[in-house]
Amino acid sequence: MKKLGIFAAASILLFVLFPSQAKGVVSFDDVQMDHPFVWEVIYLYEQGIIDGYPDGTFRPANNVTRSQAMKMIGEGIYLYDEKRATPFSDVPANAYYSGYVMSAYELGIISGYGDGTFKPHNPITRGQAALIFARAFKWAEAPNSDFSDVPASGEMGQAIAKMKEHGVTMGYPDGTFRPYQPITRGQFSAFLARAVEPSFVPQYEALLSTANEILVHLQNEEFGELANYMGNDPLTFCPYAGNCIDHGGVQFTTAELNHFMDDPVIYDWGDQDGSGFPIELTPADYYDEWLMDAEYETKYRYGRSKHVSTQELIRQKYPTGRVVEYYFEGTEEFDYMDWQSLNLVFEKNSGGEWELIAIINDRWTI
């Protein structure tokens, strides 16, 4: 098993690589460069997920209200934002946050209070924020967080454990999480940035570096090198995310991967979406027509996929996996409907190391 190499550069490299981020550095007068969450705030602002106040401030120490939390999380995960009626008596249909609230309610991210209210202007606590994050990102079960003030049982305790497992929170130096303390705008921004952009989390930054290495091997048709990133189980290939659930894909052992491009066998890789026709190809033909049928580029960030259904289907198949998605947005000629994605799926082994378990493509079909 090849060990993951940590990026040598500090987090600031993310923004050196993307000069457009420079304007975010001076976006808010009260978020200085020595603020502990400055890069997370800058990232969210540049992505259009958060905004500030008319006076040029962000007010990171202010408490986050429940309505503000809905807008921020809604922008982060692409919730449908059109203003509309909700089941809550205190959320007007014309409120700026009504669409986010309704979408979150429909998806089971929030439920409101027993009296039929949402209390949009009340501050949200750190524990309540953890519940929202765990439901929104659908993280798999996690070991106990070991925070001294967080019970191991119960939905809130498990939500906080999931946040810690994914590197979204580290808690306080005294070993507490303080779940009943109101969460600040700065803290919520840090949680959200780490959840939607895993490059802010060291273990996932390292995983991105590993994925980039694998991409080069795929581009060079060096399938024998994939064994360095795998465990003992075969590697699964699927042409569609949904097809991976329905069909199961085709599996190759490390020994079989050495002869992937020379294998004369015609495999049944699954069925084409829409037509249902079987995808019956040799590995070399599958490589040309599906696996690498787009110009995928090295990633410096994970990025947020607008095709969230792909990630949701992969999550259903591999609930404890972590996906690094390479995305080809398509062309103007076809109104960008010819998009494609290459998804590398990793899972942790018993020793805590990431192993490549599946390579899943996805594309639009009619």
Side-chain angles (χ1 to χ4, degrees), residues 72-258:
M72 292 167 73
I73 201 80
E75 289 290 339
I77 62 173
Y78 298 109
L79 289 183
Y80 182 53
D81 63 352
E82 182 176 338
K83 298 176 183 178
R84 57 198 188 279
T86 77
F88 304 114
S89 60
D90 56 351
V91 178
N94 63 351
Y96 76 88
Y97 50 84
S98 64
Y100 301 108
V101 170
M102 188 59 187
S103 293
Y105 174 76
E106 292 172 334
L107 293 172
I109 297 173
I110 59 170
S111 57
Y113 291 89
D115 62 358
T117 63
F118 180 68
K119 301 183 178 14
H121 306 301
N122 281 14
I124 188 171
T125 67
R126 288 167 57 85
Q128 291 169 337
L131 286 169
I132 290 174
F133 276 93
R135 294 169 185 167
F137 290 94
K138 300 180 182 179
W139 291 317
E141 296 301 306
N144 182 21
S145 67
D146 291 327
F147 291 125
S148 61
D149 57 349
V150 175
S153 60
E155 187 182 6
M156 181 180 291
Q158 181 57 212
I160 293 170
K162 293 175 182 178
M163 288 185 68
K164 184 178 180 182
E165 176 71 8
H166 282 267
V168 174
T169 185
M170 294 172 285
Y172 288 91
D174 63 358
T176 64
F177 180 76
R178 306 177 192 177
Y180 302 106
Q181 178 175 296
I183 191 170
T184 67
R185 287 167 58 81
Q187 292 169 346
F188 196 94
S189 296
F191 289 169
L192 185 54
R194 296 166 191 168
V196 302
E197 178 44 64
S199 295
F200 284 107
V201 180
Q203 65 167 313
Y204 296 135
E205 183 183 16
L207 187 59
L208 180 59
S209 177
T210 295
N212 284 332
E213 294 175 7
I214 294 172
L215 176 65
V216 172
H217 291 313
L218 291 174
Q219 291 169 333
N220 293 334
E221 303 180 11
E222 298 167 342
F223 282 87
E225 295 296 323
L226 300 186
N228 294 320
Y229 307 91
M230 296 165 54
N232 296 321
D233 295 331
L235 182 63
T236 299
F237 292 82
C238 301
Y240 296 103
N243 200 269
C244 205
I245 296 175
D246 298 334
H247 187 275
V250 180
Q251 296 184 327
F252 291 85
T253 65
T254 54
E256 291 169 335
L257 284 170
N258 282 316

Side-chain angles (χ1 to χ4, degrees), residues 295-351:
E295 295 184 4
Y296 299 114
E297 299 180 353
T298 296
K299 292 176 69 73
Y300 295 100
R301 292 182 179 171
Y302 277 72
R304 296 184 297 146
S305 174
K306 292 185 178 180
H307 296 283
V308 293
S309 60
T310 299
Q311 302 302 312
E312 174 59 26
L313 290 168
I314 294 176
R315 185 183 293 112
Q316 290 180 27
K317 178 69 175 179
Y318 302 105
T320 61
R322 168 59 71 179
V323 178
V324 179
E325 178 194 51
Y326 294 89
Y327 183 71
F328 172 72
E329 67 176 6
T331 61
E332 186 176 1
E333 177 184 359
F334 296 101
D335 198 25
Y336 301 100
M337 299 300 285
D338 54 334
W339 64 269
Q340 296 188 54
S341 67
L342 172 71
N343 301 272
L344 306 183
V345 186
F346 299 85
E347 281 186 353
K348 280 185 178 180
N349 61 21
S350 58

Side-chain angles (χ1 to χ4, degrees), residues 244-287:
C244 205
I245 296 175
D246 298 334
H247 187 275
V250 180
Q251 296 184 327
F252 291 85
T253 65
T254 54
E256 291 169 335
L257 284 170
N258 282 316
H259 309 286
F260 186 89
M261 296 300 290
D262 300 320
D263 187 344
V265 177
I266 296 177
Y267 294 91
D268 181 0
W269 302 86
D271 301 325
Q272 293 191 35
D273 281 359
S275 70
F277 294 146
I279 302 171
E280 297 176 337
L281 299 166
T282 65
D285 288 337
Y286 179 77
Y287 178 92

